[in-house]
Amino acid sequence: MNLLRPILAAAVSAAWVAGAAAQELKIGLSAEPSAMDPHFHNLVPNNALTKHVFDRLLDQDENQRVKPMLATSWRNVDETTWEFKLRPGVKFSNGADFTANDVIFSYCRVPRVENSPSSLAINVRAITRMSAPDPLTLVIGTDKPHPLLPNELSNVAILSAKANGAGQVEFDRQACRNAGSYPKTEAFNAGEAAIGTGPYRLVRFTKGDRTILERADGYWGEKPAWARVVLRPITSAGPRVAALLAGDVDMIESVPIQDIERIKGNPAYRVVQGLSNRVIYLHFNYQADSPPGVADAGGKNPFRDKRVREAIAKAIDRDAIVARIMGGVAVAAGELLPPTMFGANKEMTAAKADPDGAKKLLAEAGYPGGFTLVLATPNDRYVNDGQIAQAVAQMLTRVGLKVSLEAMTASQFFARRNRREFGFWLAGWGSDTGEMSSPLKSLVATPNRDKGMGTTNPGGYSNPAMDPLLEQALATVDDTRRAALLAEASRTVMADFGALPLHFEMTTWAFRKDLAYTPRADQYTLGMLVRKAD
Amino acid sequence: MSILPLETQARETALGRGWRAFAESRMAVLALGLVTLLIGVALAAPWITPQDPYDLTQLSILDNMLAPFSQSLDGRSFWLGTDDQGRDMLSAILYGLRLSLFVGVAATAIALLAGTTVGIVAAYFGGRIDAALMRLVDLQLSFPAILVALILLALLGKGVDKVIVALVSVQWAYYARTIRGAALVERRREYIEAAQCLALPRRRVIFRHLLPNAFPPLIVVATVQVAHAIALEATLSFLGVGVPITEPSLGLLIANGYGYMLSGKYWIAFYPGIALLVAIVAINLVGDRLRDVMNPRLRR
Amino acid sequence: MLAFLLRRIGQSAFVMAAMALIVFVGVYALGNPIDILINPEADQIEREQAIARLGLDRPLWEQFWIFVKSAASGDLGRSFVHGVPAIDLIVSRMPATLELAFVALVLSIGLGIPLGLAAGVKPDSFVSRTIVTGSIFGFSLPNFWLGLMLILLFAVEWKILPAGGRGETRTLFGIEWSILTLDGLQHLILPALTLAIYKASLVVRLAYAGTREALLQDYVKFARAKGLRPSRILGVHVLKAILIPVVTVIGLELGSMIAFAVVTETVFAWPGMGKLLIESIYRLDRPVIVAYLIVVVALFVAINFLVDVIYTLLDPRVRLSEREA
């Protein structure tokens, strides 16, 4: 049978040549976008897809630093007022000119998308005033200083006011005036509302099968290399790799770890990988007097004892997890945001494993014989999540803790975690804004509904030294000072072992060797940024 | 032998005759041997496996995904390789087999009990009760088992007990129908009528007369259903709604290996698959032969 | 005939209603889909608003009442995940599943009847015994395991067929079919074979038993005595006799094939209804789960009815009303 291989390989490479000549790029996606409506579902697959068709006011580069897009520049008039200068000469795919009115219309629609399971409203919530002194100037006001505004606006797609029948929109937090009736999500899926200023325009969006995009003529930015981009969701990892190797697609995202070596070994393909904004971490239930799953702990909540948390941290061999389970495609983590990002501590590296030290700490804390605990984990959400949790359980077992594992599908995991049914769990956190404030605010800040703090801190961790630092940072517009405050807040939590970071996931892409792609921390796969290799 | 009461002797020879008929097929005898062997190793798994795959202290992540016949860091050898957790595949397969067989047998036994009860009640009381129960049976049987079990488990969550519940609820109807059919025939016979005339208690009529006579077809159905239950459990675990990942059955072992199969690490999915296949085929072969032996129409 | 049809429909409507209630309540009890759908960065306020947008803040009985009311007018609710009517989503995935089931059906008959006939003609020969024992293997093989092995052989080892996905499609009657393109057919063959083997084994056994029985019948003996060619006896007289049980079983099994497609579609990443169901279960997309079940029950009813009609055509002695009585 091996005789057949060279012949088949030749046939396959002939297919590539044909594909390249056709100026068509076919990409295998790891998750299916749920809609073409850019305001419908605020998740990576949707945001990446809609970015082909709809530009944002501001963009994020591959390290998630904010840069100009439809706005060419922006400045703070004062601490609560921002002025954006818009790009002249930009046209929507229906021929209409892009003006500040389109931005206002788009931000007005964001909180009002029917049936949206997760809207982008949080990105425009800070806005209290919005006006357009002239068609290419936009002024946005907030109640309090809100340094994250540019980051947040870089997530929100701009629609055409005119194409959707709106007049001169007047912003009002309750209900904007003159906005007409906002387009429905189905209108985007069907194509009639899919009118943006982006590098591509929609040809066809077929659920479960593929999305076909065509290069938009007269795009204001750099002309993309591909006349046609086809995005196919192939959610199972094995078939996705098989599709690449068979020449069905030219590029895939999220290469399964066990296949990376094999694809790298094949001279016809290339693999690139980059640090993502997602950390995998362990977190504790501090609130319950006897946390679910914990037993033989003398009737106390052992997680409230810092020595216990430190012991758990020391028991874990992050390097072994990275090497053996993540196949080297991850970086052991010392805090909750990768060192290259805003507000991170560059010198924070992952602690080395120290099982003896862990045993000693447990004994000091009054648990020389360990105690019983359950580690909860999703097993289909993060890269190799179930296996990571099993490895953690193995490592904790070796320092004398009696660990059992409760692995479940993501939907059950998140529902149960939010109901506080776990004592100790593994999860992941990706930072959309690319700033340290994101993990701190959600994972370790003292829960507070009105401040939007601690939304993913169901265990109720509370650090009175950290909270004020974070709040101060969130109100500091000056970037240098904010970064320093965030870094200090992060060090405070890490020194207290409030949550235990394990590693940062890396995102991988594999493609034909005549292509090139720069890895992105936001994990987006963007056809317009795929280049032809020199 | 001679000290046994006469009745037992008679049964012995009936059994002997049955066995001779069964043994006419060498394939069936081979299959029966295999089934016995599999049950044996499954029961003995904790004592004969090199490793307890459920005990986290015995696993080392550093030994993961080793090919068959490779050695661990501390010099043990893994005949069938290891999986992504560093579990010895041979041990994992024997424990998985144990779990799969347990689930299959337990589910079948409970379903047999429940189905028999329903079937006998229906047959004995007849009339409206019979009609209502049989309508329920028809309804249950008109839905594919896989779909019912899948939805049930999606609602119930993971766990060995829940898998058994799901399997029982898709299987009971087969027994109910089988025994009701057989019992209906028996009910019309004179001896039951005689028993009723003698005013024997109903319980006695059911358990001493109805049940023993309706039993042979049940045995055949039950044997085949054990194989079905094992296959169904494997399928459900493969789809991610069956047993929990820390204590894998054969189906879950295969599911774990699926992701690695395309990468050339075939052993993680392949060997558990072979074990599963052998178990199911052997049980089916035995069941098939039993059907032939117990079906008087085909008896030569 | 009409009364029979009406009774069937009535019964099925009852089943659908009961099932919808159970699944509705069951999925509700499982958890809140918002927990998995929402962007983790969302705060408490956005969470509450999203829950309200999907109507999940209302009490369960009210949610169910709204569902029943709109279901009565043919609207089975909107997918939580996709934001479009659940029924549209299912209908758009249906052709993929139907063509898979149909090709599998053709394969199972095409393989099963000739093999069963061959085995039945000389029941004691080696070939016959191999076929009959082989059929036991055929229905012992768990569907997913067979699929994996086919992928391992044809896609990984020999690299002659694709490992999954649906391939190119071509539009006919406004629907995309992959059966009409070469690439589509290549993608179709392995999943269809996986789905077909189990049924093929059933057909083999039925055809085998039927042939053995038919060969002993008087009319076959007469035909032989008359000097008809054996191929004609088999191809016409025996085949006719075994067709009735085969059609019945196959018809009834078409339903289970659509159900088993859930497994096959998962293994082969085939974008059909079954895969949609699994995805919806994982994401607690209740409207889609409920709508899928309702559609499938309706499909079963339609198939069963068709089988009955074909049955009467094949065997004039059977009348629908009689069978039902």
Side-chain angles (χ1 to χ4, degrees), chain C residues 13-292:
Chain C
F14 174 74
V15 173
M16 282 182 200
M19 192 189 55
L21 179 63
I22 294 169
V23 175
F24 205 92
V25 176
V27 181
Y28 178 85
L30 266 188
N32 192 333
I34 283 295
D35 288 321
I36 177 163
L37 293 178
I38 202 160
N39 186 312
E41 302 243 0
D43 58 9
Q44 202 56 41
I45 300 167
E46 165 61 16
R47 238 182 93 80
E48 285 159 16
Q49 286 173 349
I51 288 174
R53 276 197 296 267
L54 298 185
L56 293 165
D57 54 339
R58 299 161 199 257
L60 178 63
W61 64 266
E62 197 182 332
Q63 291 185 38
F64 189 68
W65 176 238
I66 293 172
F67 166 76
V68 170
K69 267 199 300 188
S70 42
S73 60
D75 173 10
L76 296 179
R78 264 168 200 274
S79 158
F80 294 151
V81 179
H82 302 271
V84 300
I87 194 82
D88 292 1
L89 212 53
I90 289 164
V91 167
S92 72
R93 297 283 191 99
M94 200 185 272
T97 297
L98 288 185
E99 75 178 355
L100 179 62
F102 175 75
V103 173
L105 195 64
V106 171
L107 273 178
S108 58
I109 296 174
L111 288 173
I113 289 188
L115 287 175
L117 267 177
V121 173
K122 287 182 189 160
D124 288 323
S125 70
F126 174 74
V127 176
S128 164
R129 268 196 227 149
T130 314
I131 291 175
V132 173
T133 313
S135 76
I136 292 185
F137 273 81
F139 68 69
S140 297
L141 280 167
N143 196 292
F144 70 98
W145 165 247
L146 177 64
L148 291 185
M149 287 304 107
L150 290 180
I151 292 179
L152 193 60
L153 279 184
F154 288 91
V156 179
E157 199 54 38
W158 300 334
K159 296 184 198 295
I160 48 179
L161 284 172
R166 201 181 171 198
E168 293 297 321
T169 54
R170 187 170 292 166
T171 314
L172 183 71
F173 309 126
I175 301 170
E176 305 274 327
W177 302 100
S178 58
I179 198 169
L180 300 176
T181 66
L182 182 64
D183 184 52
L185 273 178
Q186 283 176 343
H187 282 81
L188 189 57
I189 185 83
L190 288 187
L193 194 63
T194 305
L195 202 50
I197 291 288
Y198 180 87
K199 307 298 162 198
S201 315
L202 271 184
V203 175
V204 164
R205 296 177 76 79
L206 284 172
Y208 168 74
T211 311
R212 279 183 73 178
E213 212 164 288
L215 286 176
L216 299 174
Q217 301 287 321
D218 291 341
Y219 67 89
V220 174
K221 288 181 184 156
F222 283 132
R224 271 202 187 129
K226 239 170 71 181
L228 281 184
R229 272 176 295 125
S231 62
R232 189 170 161 76
I233 296 175
L234 275 187
V236 177
H237 298 281
V238 175
L239 194 63
K240 246 188 193 165
I242 63 175
L243 225 47
I244 292 174
V246 168
V247 165
T248 320
V249 169
I250 279 292
L252 296 174
E253 293 288 332
L254 185 65
S256 89
M257 233 172 207
I258 288 167
F260 257 102
V262 173
V263 184
T264 314
E265 286 174 8
T266 306
V267 174
F268 287 94
W270 187 260
M273 291 164 28
K275 193 150 175 290
L276 180 68
L277 175 69
I278 294 281
E279 283 164 7
S280 303
I281 287 176
Y282 285 152
R283 286 155 134 184
L284 302 181
D285 199 345
R286 189 178 66 205
V288 180
I289 302 176
V290 174
Y292 173 91

Side-chain angles (χ1 to χ4, degrees), chain A residues 56 72 82 183 203 296 329 334 396 413 419 439 471 513 517:
Chain A
R56 276 71 169 146
T72 50
W82 300 72
V203 177
D296 312 324
V329 192
L396 297 184
F413 176 83
R419 289 200 299 257
E471 278 181 40
K513 73 162 186 304
Y517 192 68

Side-chain angles (χ1 to χ4, degrees), chain A residues 454-504:
Chain A
T455 46
T456 311
N457 180 12
Y461 175 72
S462 176
N463 187 332
M466 194 278 293
D467 287 340
L469 283 171
L470 177 62
E471 278 181 40
Q472 200 189 337
L474 286 171
T476 304
V477 177
D478 182 83
D479 276 354
T480 331
R481 274 187 54 218
R482 188 164 85 256
L485 283 166
L486 289 173
E488 192 189 339
S490 171
R491 287 196 301 273
T492 315
V493 177
M494 290 301 113
D496 191 39
F497 299 93
L500 309 180
L502 292 179
H503 57 260
F504 303 112

Side-chain angles (χ1 to χ4, degrees), chain A residues 4-18 246:
Chain A
L4 263 177
R5 280 189 192 161
I7 302 169
L8 284 161
V12 169
S13 33
W16 294 342
V17 175

Side-chain angles (χ1 to χ4, degrees), chain B:
Chain B
M1 283 292 168
S2 56
I3 52 166
L4 289 170
L6 207 69
E7 196 194 337
T8 320
Q9 268 188 5
R11 208 183 295 151
E12 199 88 311
T13 47
L15 261 183
R17 219 180 315 133
W19 167 247
R20 270 199 306 282
F22 183 89
E24 268 177 39
S25 160
R26 259 182 299 169
M27 191 69 134
V29 176
L30 186 73
L32 187 64
L34 260 178
V35 171
T36 318
L37 179 74
L38 288 178
I39 293 174
V41 293
L43 286 177
W47 296 278
I48 58 172
T49 52
Q51 187 191 59
D52 176 358
Y54 300 165
D55 180 3
L56 294 173
T57 51
Q58 294 190 24
L59 306 185
S60 169
I61 203 71
L62 299 175
D63 286 332
N64 70 350
M65 302 217 265
L66 297 175
F69 298 109
S70 41
Q71 298 232 316
S72 76
L73 294 177
D74 49 16
R76 279 177 305 162
S77 68
F78 298 114
W79 292 348
L80 298 184
T82 59
D83 70 359
D84 51 356
Q85 282 305 309
R87 268 190 291 251
D88 171 39
M89 282 315 293
L90 179 64
S91 309
I93 288 170
L94 292 185
Y95 271 80
L97 183 69
R98 185 182 161 89
L99 186 59
S100 289
L101 286 176
F102 169 72
V103 169
V105 171
T108 307
I110 299 172
L112 183 68
L113 204 67
T116 309
T117 313
V118 172
I120 288 204
V121 165
Y124 194 80
F125 293 102
R128 285 229 179 118
I129 296 178
D130 184 30
L133 287 174
M134 284 306 115
R135 186 49 46 95
L136 196 64
V137 166
D138 285 344
L139 188 66
Q140 169 79 65
L141 291 178
S142 71
F143 282 98
I146 176 81
L147 208 58
V148 176
L150 178 66
I151 295 289
L152 260 179
L153 278 176
L155 300 182
L156 291 174
K158 281 183 194 182
V160 174
D161 47 343
K162 288 159 187 157
V163 174
I164 293 178
V165 168
L167 292 179
V168 168
S169 46
V170 298
Q171 285 195 340
W172 67 272
Y174 291 102
Y175 304 106
R177 175 179 275 182
T178 309
I179 196 148
R180 191 256 195 178
L184 220 50
V185 177
E186 299 294 329
R187 195 162 63 115
R188 299 214 183 89
R189 298 239 170 110
E190 291 94 12
Y191 71 91
I192 297 272
E193 277 171 23
Q196 276 170 338
C197 289
L198 285 172
L200 289 175
R202 274 188 165 165
R203 219 176 345 142
R204 194 177 149 82
V205 174
I206 290 179
F207 284 100
R208 290 300 298 275
H209 300 285
L210 245 171
L211 205 50
N213 284 294
F215 213 62
L218 271 187
I219 297 283
V220 175
V221 176
T223 315
V224 177
Q225 286 298 323
V226 170
H228 259 164
I230 292 173
L232 197 54
E233 181 277 323
T235 306
L236 292 166
S237 293
F238 176 80
L239 289 176
V241 293
V243 299
I245 62 165
T246 40
E247 298 187 359
S249 67
L250 291 176
L252 195 58
L253 286 174
I254 298 169
N256 275 347
Y258 174 44
Y260 301 101
M261 207 177 66
L262 295 177
S263 326
K265 297 187 169 62
Y266 67 92
W267 62 89
I268 305 177
F270 184 73
Y271 293 122
I274 294 294
L276 179 67
L277 185 63
V278 169
I280 298 175
V281 170
I283 296 173
N284 270 337
L285 281 170
V286 171
D288 202 51
R289 188 66 201 153
L290 278 179
R291 191 195 345 254
D292 288 352
V293 171
M294 290 190 180
N295 186 345
R297 272 205 309 169
L298 284 182
R299 209 174 274 165
R300 270 173 277 172

Side-chain angles (χ1 to χ4, degrees), chain A residues 426-474:
Chain A
L426 177 145
W429 182 261
S431 305
D432 281 2
T433 54
E435 240 199 51
M436 182 58 92
S437 55
S438 160
L440 294 182
K441 208 175 140 181
S442 297
L443 304 181
V444 289
T446 309
N448 181 324
R449 178 187 184 273
D450 297 325
K451 290 181 183 167
M453 291 286 189
T455 46
T456 311
N457 180 12
Y461 175 72
S462 176
N463 187 332
M466 194 278 293
D467 287 340
L469 283 171
L470 177 62
E471 278 181 40
Q472 200 189 337
L474 286 171

